[in-house]
Amino acid sequence: MAFLVPLACLSVYFHYQFHVTLTETGKLNLVAIAESQRNTVDLFLQERMSNLFALFNSNAFSTRPTQQQMESLLRQLRQASDAFIDVGLLTDSGLQTGYAGPFPYLQNKNYRDQSWFVELMSSQKVNYISDIYLGFRNKPHFTIAVKQVIEHHPYIIRSTIDPDKFYLFLKTINHVKGVESSLINSEGRYQLTPPRSKSSQDTSEYIPDPDAPPGAHMIHTSEDPTLIAHVWLTEVHWALLVSEPLSIAYAQLYRVRRIMVISSALILLAVAVAIWLATHTLIARARENAEKREELTNQLLHASKLASLGEMATGVAHEINNPLAIIVATAGLIKDMLNPEFNSNWTADQILPEIKTIEDAAFRAKKITQQLLNYGYKTPTQMVPTNINTILEEVLGGLKERSLGLSDIIVKREFDTALPTVPADPDQIRQVFLNLINNAGDAIHGPGQITVTTRQDEFSVRISVTDTGKGMSSELIKKIFDPFFTTKDVGKGTGLGLSVSVSIVESMGGTIEVQSLPGAGSAFTVTLPKKRALRG
C-alpha cells in the first residue's frame, strides 16, 4: 500500500493533467489551423493588391483609357486570379472613367460618396479592402482599391472580388475534416461564410475582442457544443473564425482516456508484482553500487596522494640529504678520532657529542620518512570537528613550505585566529589543501607568493589559496575540474587533484570556487559549512 497508494494518486493526477493538457492541445491545434489559414488569406489579399498595383505599370494603362485598354487590364487580372470580377479606373473626384466587366452601366459612375472611396482619399493609405456590401450592382461583393499619384493627381484602380470564389479559396486551404472557416468584421457581421448556413448580413454568435490575441473558446449551441478559434487578419480588420464540433475535436481525447484508464489499472497491478519481487534485489544492487562508488572515491584519493608524493620528491630528497650528509661527516670524524695512527687520546666524553650529532640527524631523517609514510597511508573516512588552521599548518609547516622555498616561492598566512572547528575528515581535507597549494606552486614560474587566508561568516568557513602565477582564461576555468584534465607537461600531472578535491569538498557539504585572469594569478576558495550532520 505504501507504494501503490501514492502511485494511484499520481495516476489520478496525471489522468486529470492529461485531460487538461489534451483539451488545451485541442484548442492550440485549432488556433494553429486558424493562424495558418490567416497567413494564407493575408497572402491572397496581398497578392490581389499587388496585381492591382502592377496595372499602373502595365503597357495597357492610361489615365484616359480606351475600352480596349480596360479589357486588357481585366485579362491581366484574371490571369493572376479568377476571383477578380471587373476593374475600374477612378479620378480623384470619384468618377469611374474606365471600366471593364459584366456591369457596363458602372462606366462613368461616381463613387465619391462610397465609404471606401472617402476613406482611401482622406488618408495616407494607398490601398483599401472594403467589407462585403451591395453597392451600385445590388449584389454582395468586396472592393479592393489601390491609389497612386500620377502627375500630381491621385488615381484609383478598383476591382471586385467574387465572394463565392473567395470562399472556395478559403475552403481549399482547409484540409481538416469537420473544421469550418468564416470571416467576420469588427462588428461581428459575416464577411465570408458557407452559403448554406449564413448570409452576408448575419451576425456571428461569437465576436472576439479586437485587442485579444489568438485563442479558442467553447460555444454551446442547440446542436453540438463547438470549439471555435479566432485570429485577426493583418491586411484588413476581419477576424478569421475556425470552428470544430467537440465530438470531432476531442474524439482522440475520449478514446485515449479510455485506453489510459485500462492501461493504468494493468500497470498498477504489474507494478505491485514487480515491486514485490524486485525490492530486495534493487536494495542489494544499490548497496553494492554505493560500496563500489565509495571504494573508487578512496582509490582516486589515494592516487592523488601518491601523485602529490611524486611532486614532492625533490623537496624530500633535499630534506633527507642534509641529515645523511651530517651522519656521514660525523661518522668520518669519529673514525679519525679512533684511528691509532693519529696517536690521539680522545676520551669518551669527547666522542659522545659527536655520536649525539649522528643520533639527532638520524631522528630528523626518521621524522621526514614518517611524515611521508603517514601521508601515503589509506585512512577510513571519518567526519570529526576539525580545526582548519591546524590542518593548514600541518600542510605548510612540513615538507611543502620548504619545497616551495627551494623554488623561491614565499608562503604568506592570513589566518583567522578565532576560526571555529567544522565537521570534516582531516585526512581528506588535508589532501584538498595540498592539491590547491601544489597547483598554486606549479602556476608560478620564478619568484612568487602564495597567500593562504581563512575567514568566517555566520554559516561557513572560507579558505582561500591565492597565487601570483600565470592565471587562466575563462575557457580553461570551465575544464579544470574535469577528471584527468591537466595543463601540466606530460608526466608532471595526473589531472586528478582538482576533480578529487571537488568530490571531497562536496561530500562535506561545501563548494570550491575559482577566480582567475591571464597574467594576474588565481584564487581558489573552499567554503565549508559550520554545521553538518556528522557521519561515522
Side-chain angles (χ1 to χ4, degrees):
M1 293 300 294
F3 283 103
L4 294 180
V5 170
L7 188 60
C9 293
L10 282 175
S11 179
V12 172
Y13 171 75
F14 284 122
H15 275 254
Y16 170 74
Q17 289 297 327
F18 174 80
H19 174 82
V20 172
T21 301
L22 204 55
T23 301
E24 189 63 26
T25 300
K27 293 181 179 179
L28 293 176
N29 180 60
L30 201 60
V31 171
I33 293 174
E35 290 180 329
S36 176
Q37 293 187 8
R38 183 267 310 275
N39 294 336
T40 306
V41 171
D42 276 335
L43 182 60
F44 174 85
L45 295 175
Q46 290 170 3
E47 289 176 345
R48 301 295 76 79
M49 286 188 290
S50 297
N51 297 149
L52 290 180
F53 273 116
L55 297 183
F56 282 112
N57 299 317
S58 173
N59 293 331
F61 176 77
S62 173
T63 56
R64 295 180 180 180
T66 64
Q67 187 61 33
Q68 182 179 3
Q69 289 175 319
M70 294 303 299
E71 295 291 343
S72 177
L73 294 179
L74 181 58
R75 283 195 298 272
Q76 292 183 39
L77 289 180
R78 287 181 174 172
Q79 287 176 358
S81 173
D82 61 357
F84 288 113
I85 296 177
D86 57 9
V87 64
L89 177 67
L90 285 73
T91 64
D92 55 359
S93 64
L95 182 65
Q96 186 162 258
T97 57
Y99 176 82
F103 305 101
Y105 57 84
L106 295 179
Q107 178 75 26
N108 295 321
K109 281 286 186 180
N110 198 307
Y111 286 81
R112 65 173 177 269
D113 296 326
Q114 297 293 312
S115 59
W116 64 264
F117 179 83
V118 173
E119 184 167 349
L120 184 59
M121 291 299 297
S122 62
S123 67
Q124 298 296 322
K125 293 174 23 176
V126 295
N127 56 68
Y128 186 85
I129 301 175
S130 73
D131 287 348
I132 193 168
Y133 72 114
L134 299 178
F136 292 127
R137 65 194 69 184
N138 200 29
K139 184 177 180 180
H141 64 282
F142 301 100
T143 292
I144 298 182
V146 297
K147 179 177 66 176
Q148 185 165 316
V149 177
I150 301 175
E151 296 178 353
H152 306 293
H153 293 283
Y155 287 87
I156 294 175
I157 293 180
R158 54 151 295 279
S159 182
T160 302
I161 297 295
D162 186 346
D164 293 337
K165 295 290 180 64
F166 196 176
Y167 171 71
L168 183 61
F169 166 77
L170 187 62
K171 187 176 180 180
T172 59
I173 65 176
N174 181 15
H175 303 291
V176 183
K177 182 180 179 181
V179 172
E180 290 190 345
S181 305
S182 58
L183 292 171
I184 64 172
N185 62 10
S186 58
E187 297 175 354
R189 291 191 175 277
Y190 279 99
Q191 303 300 300
L192 207 60
T193 186
R196 65 180 180 275
S197 59
K198 299 286 182 181
S199 72
S200 62
Q201 300 302 316
D202 285 335
T203 302
S204 171
E205 297 175 358
Y206 170 66
I207 304 176
D209 185 348
D211 298 324
H217 302 274
M218 191 179 301
I219 304 296
H220 294 279
T221 63
S222 57
E223 302 174 356
D224 189 11
T226 301
L227 192 65
I228 185 168
H230 79 273
V231 288
W232 288 92
L233 302 184
T234 56
E235 293 302 325
V236 61
H237 201 54
W238 295 341
L240 174 64
L241 302 183
V242 179
S243 60
E244 185 177 20
L246 289 187
S247 57
I248 298 177
Y250 293 153
Q252 183 181 6
L253 167 63
Y254 303 144
R255 182 172 60 255
V256 172
R257 187 167 58 187
R258 286 193 298 269
I259 295 174
M260 286 189 63
V261 169
I262 297 173
S263 301
S264 297
L266 295 176
I267 289 172
L268 285 174
L269 179 61
V271 168
V273 175
I275 290 174
W276 184 263
L277 296 176
T279 299
H280 295 292
T281 302
L282 292 175
I283 292 175
R285 289 181 180 177
R287 183 181 295 111
E288 182 181 355
N289 290 336
E291 291 173 353
K292 288 181 179 179
R293 185 164 54 250
E294 185 174 356
E295 177 62 22
L296 180 60
T297 300
N298 291 335
Q299 289 177 1
L300 287 175
L301 176 59
H302 190 62
S304 181
K305 282 186 176 182
L306 296 179
S308 298
L309 283 176
E311 295 177 3
M312 295 164 60
T314 302
V316 171
H318 181 77
E319 290 295 321
I320 293 180
N321 187 62
N322 289 337
L324 290 179
I326 294 173
I327 291 173
V328 171
T330 307
L333 176 61
I334 294 175
K335 185 178 179 180
D336 290 339
M337 293 172 68
L338 298 176
N339 192 336
E341 294 181 1
F342 293 122
N343 296 321
S344 300
N345 297 320
W346 297 98
T347 64
D349 291 338
Q350 292 174 315
I351 296 175
L352 284 176
E354 303 303 330
I355 295 176
K356 182 65 168 57
T357 300
I358 293 175
E359 186 180 47
D360 291 343
F363 278 119
R364 180 181 174 189
K366 178 182 178 182
K367 182 178 179 181
I368 295 171
T369 305
Q370 190 63 46
Q371 288 179 346
L372 290 176
L373 290 174
N374 292 339
Y375 182 75
Y377 284 149
K378 284 187 176 181
T379 56
T381 301
Q382 187 176 13
M383 297 287 284
V384 297
T386 304
N387 189 303
I388 297 299
N389 287 345
T390 301
I391 297 295
L392 288 170
E393 282 295 349
E394 292 175 1
V395 174
L396 294 172
L399 300 174
K400 191 62 197 174
E401 188 169 14
R402 289 192 289 272
S403 175
L404 292 172
L406 295 176
S407 300
D408 203 13
I409 297 175
I410 299 172
V411 177
K412 183 179 180 182
R413 297 169 176 79
E414 295 181 355
F415 292 171
D416 181 353
T417 56
L419 206 65
T421 60
V422 296
D425 182 285
D427 187 59
Q428 292 188 358
I429 201 65
R430 184 184 295 110
Q431 175 64 29
V432 171
F433 296 145
L434 182 59
N435 288 340
L436 295 180
I437 293 170
N438 281 340
N439 288 345
D442 292 337
I444 299 174
H445 301 292
Q449 178 175 297
I450 297 175
T451 303
V452 182
T453 306
T454 61
R455 56 189 184 278
Q456 61 176 308
D457 56 29
E458 183 179 357
F459 302 105
S460 60
V461 169
R462 299 171 66 85
I463 307 96
S464 297
V465 178
T466 306
D467 62 68
T468 58
K470 58 185 179 181
M472 296 177 289
S473 64
S474 57
E475 291 77 12
L476 191 59
I477 291 175
K478 297 176 182 178
K479 302 178 181 178
I480 58 174
F481 293 108
D482 295 341
F484 304 107
F485 177 80
T486 179
T487 59
K488 302 175 184 178
D489 296 334
V490 177
K492 294 186 178 181
T494 63
L496 292 174
L498 286 177
S499 62
V500 170
S501 298
V502 169
S503 177
I504 292 172
V505 172
E506 288 182 349
S507 70
M508 298 177 186
T511 60
I512 295 183
E513 300 174 353
V514 58
Q515 293 180 331
S516 183
L517 287 174
S522 304
F524 286 82
T525 302
V526 176
T527 303
L528 296 174
K530 289 183 177 180
K531 295 181 180 180
R532 178 181 169 87
L534 299 181
R535 297 184 301 173

